[in-house]
Amino acid sequence: MSWEDNVRKVVPYVAGEQPKGQVIKLNTNEFPYPPSPMVASRMYDLAEAEIDGATSMLRKYPDMDATNLVNAISKVYDVPFENIFVGVGSDDVLAMSFLTFFNSDKDILFPDITYSFYDVWASLYRFPYKQIPLNENFKINKNDYLDVPNGGIIIPNPNAPTGVYEDPSFFEDIVKNNPDSVVIIDEAYIDFGGTSCLPFIKKYDNVLVVQTLSKSRALAGLRIGVAFGNEKLIKYLKDVKFSFNSYTMNYPSIELATVSILDVDYWKKTVNMLIETREWTKKELKRLGFSFEDSMSNFIFTKHESVSGDDIFKALREKNIFVRHWNKPRIGEYLRISIGTDDEMKKLIEALEEILNA
């Protein structure tokens, strides 16, 4: 017997590589444009307050309820304060949601090809789970989630890493047919062309819609996630969070995220810029012999008709262009390519032309 016998051992989530130096980084689905100019302006104000000293806020604990941020989200999304939960990135929100809602001896259900943190959290908390295979086109079979005993369901829309999107009506059937389970719809990429399932929270008490400011609002470095749900769901979620750590969100993050949320015009403008670049990139990839399911996210999940994904991944890396590759069953030939600026994507296409013609 040793102390290691009492250690909770898990296989951790593996994030995308964070390369140093001058590279084209298309491997972690970060937004290619800076946050709202209001964020920089508010950063300056906060720095001035700290220099002044008398108005310093960093010496105090932050607002547990992140009131300013939740009020801003409430205004922009037209959702009552009581139906909103915020956390340190959507990963924090989702981890707390697993801990709060999935305490059953029945399997948690989620796709086999999806965000790879789901099975990590289930294993960490020692919850049973079942990964349900996507079909050959990387689409979810809705019937796999109907009339199946379960301890909870979580599905991203659009899915990651595939980018496949389904209309809200697709998920409404799943929510309606699982009234005794909480259904989490992970909408990290919903802003890039999809329609949110947010209206469901007014109709169903068992659905939680989770979004993030890391993607379309370019705040991955701040770590801000948000969940929308029935008032009772949100209360239970807060009870667990405040039992875990009451002060998870720091004061600067709350303030900077607040001004970002309120700058709706800038958000829409930059999202539209990314969508235009994504559609151009789709056409260029098809021209070069790549195939993929249509993406409604800020990335494209694609494979080449004759060159292996691993070979392309390594060749791009030699050119200081980083994309994501998984050496896993069913997806080993695929690359996930984040959408960068116009200039970055043109350089990617040029590099691919050189690799394929070598």
Side-chain angles (χ1 to χ4, degrees):
M1 181 74 176
S2 81
W3 60 267
E4 285 191 84
D5 295 324
N6 297 318
V7 172
R8 187 178 294 257
K9 300 180 179 72
V10 294
V11 178
Y13 169 76
V14 179
E17 186 177 356
Q18 297 290 345
K20 307 297 182 184
Q22 295 297 315
V23 301
I24 296 177
K25 191 170 179 294
L26 306 175
N27 66 329
T28 51
N29 296 344
E30 293 149 330
F31 201 62
Y33 305 109
S36 160
M38 299 301 294
V39 173
S41 177
R42 185 65 181 135
M43 286 177 70
Y44 178 82
D45 293 341
L46 295 176
E48 286 287 296
E50 293 308 310
I51 292 170
D52 177 52
T55 54
S56 169
M57 290 297 292
L58 294 185
R59 62 189 176 84
K60 300 178 181 180
Y61 286 109
D63 174 13
M64 289 170 54
D65 292 310
T67 303
N68 288 346
L69 174 57
V70 176
N71 278 334
I73 295 170
S74 175
K75 178 181 178 181
V76 171
Y77 287 86
D78 192 25
V79 174
F81 188 99
E82 296 76 17
N83 298 110
I84 300 169
F85 173 91
V86 292
V88 185
S90 60
D91 289 340
D92 177 47
V93 173
L94 291 167
M96 289 295 105
S97 299
F98 268 60
L99 193 58
T100 305
F101 302 120
F102 290 167
N103 294 280
S104 168
D105 57 359
K106 299 185 180 74
D107 288 333
I108 304 166
L109 307 181
F110 49 86
D112 65 332
I113 302 172
T114 192
Y115 187 31
S116 51
F117 233 137
Y118 297 161
D119 60 317
V120 172
W121 288 318
S123 298
L124 176 65
Y125 297 138
R126 297 177 180 171
F127 296 155
Y129 65 93
K130 181 178 180 181
Q131 295 172 293
I132 300 178
L134 301 177
N135 69 19
E136 65 277 7
N137 297 318
F138 295 141
K139 292 183 180 292
I140 294 166
N141 180 359
K142 181 167 55 179
N143 290 332
D144 289 337
Y145 297 86
L146 305 181
D147 302 318
V148 178
N150 66 82
I153 296 171
I154 180 165
I155 305 175
N157 192 42
N159 195 8
T162 66
V164 174
Y165 164 80
E166 298 286 358
D167 187 79
S169 60
F170 179 95
F171 294 95
E172 186 163 15
D173 288 341
I174 295 175
V175 173
K176 285 193 298 187
N177 280 272
N178 289 278
D180 297 327
S181 300
V182 172
V183 178
I184 300 176
I185 303 171
D186 183 356
E187 294 188 337
Y189 301 99
I190 198 64
D191 293 333
F192 300 109
T195 299
S196 175
C197 293
L198 186 54
F200 291 178
I201 70 169
K202 296 180 180 179
K203 300 172 62 177
Y204 307 101
D205 64 2
N206 66 320
V207 62
L208 195 74
V209 177
V210 178
Q211 297 187 8
T212 179
L213 277 67
S214 295
K215 308 302 180 184
S216 66
R217 286 183 172 81
L219 294 179
L222 280 189
R223 315 304 301 124
I224 306 291
V226 56
F228 302 93
N230 174 273
E231 184 175 346
K232 185 182 289 188
L233 284 182
I234 298 302
K235 179 189 181 302
Y236 285 139
L237 198 48
K238 284 185 176 181
D239 287 347
V240 171
K241 177 187 177 180
F242 293 156
S243 300
F244 187 84
N245 185 345
S246 298
Y247 298 111
T248 55
M249 296 190 67
N250 64 64
Y251 172 69
S253 292
I254 293 169
E255 291 299 302
L256 299 178
T258 297
V259 297
S260 174
I261 282 286
L262 293 173
D263 194 353
V264 174
D265 289 342
Y266 179 85
W267 166 59
K268 289 182 177 179
K269 181 182 76 172
T270 52
V271 165
N272 286 335
M273 289 167 60
L274 184 138
I275 290 172
E276 289 180 7
T277 305
R278 180 190 69 201
E279 297 308 304
W280 176 86
T281 305
K282 288 178 184 177
K283 294 176 183 177
E284 291 297 300
L285 288 174
K286 286 181 180 178
R287 178 178 64 83
L288 294 178
F290 286 85
S291 60
F292 46 86
E293 296 299 319
D294 193 29
S295 174
M296 292 286 277
S297 57
N298 68 336
F299 59 85
I300 299 170
F301 193 60
T302 184
K303 69 175 181 178
H304 194 266
E305 59 192 17
S306 59
V307 183
S308 79
D310 188 55
D311 287 346
I312 297 174
F313 169 76
K314 290 175 180 176
L316 285 173
R317 186 186 175 93
E318 290 179 1
K319 295 177 178 292
N320 286 324
I321 299 175
F322 286 73
V323 298
R324 194 79 192 267
H325 175 254
W326 289 271
N327 187 19
K328 291 183 177 182
R330 297 187 67 191
I331 62 172
E333 293 302 319
Y334 284 80
L335 302 171
R336 191 193 68 189
I337 302 172
S338 304
I339 303 301
T341 62
D342 285 347
D343 183 60
E344 288 173 330
M345 301 316 288
K346 288 174 182 175
K347 289 178 179 177
L348 167 74
I349 296 300
E350 291 171 359
L352 288 172
E353 287 178 326
E354 292 176 4
I355 293 166
L356 297 173
N357 292 326

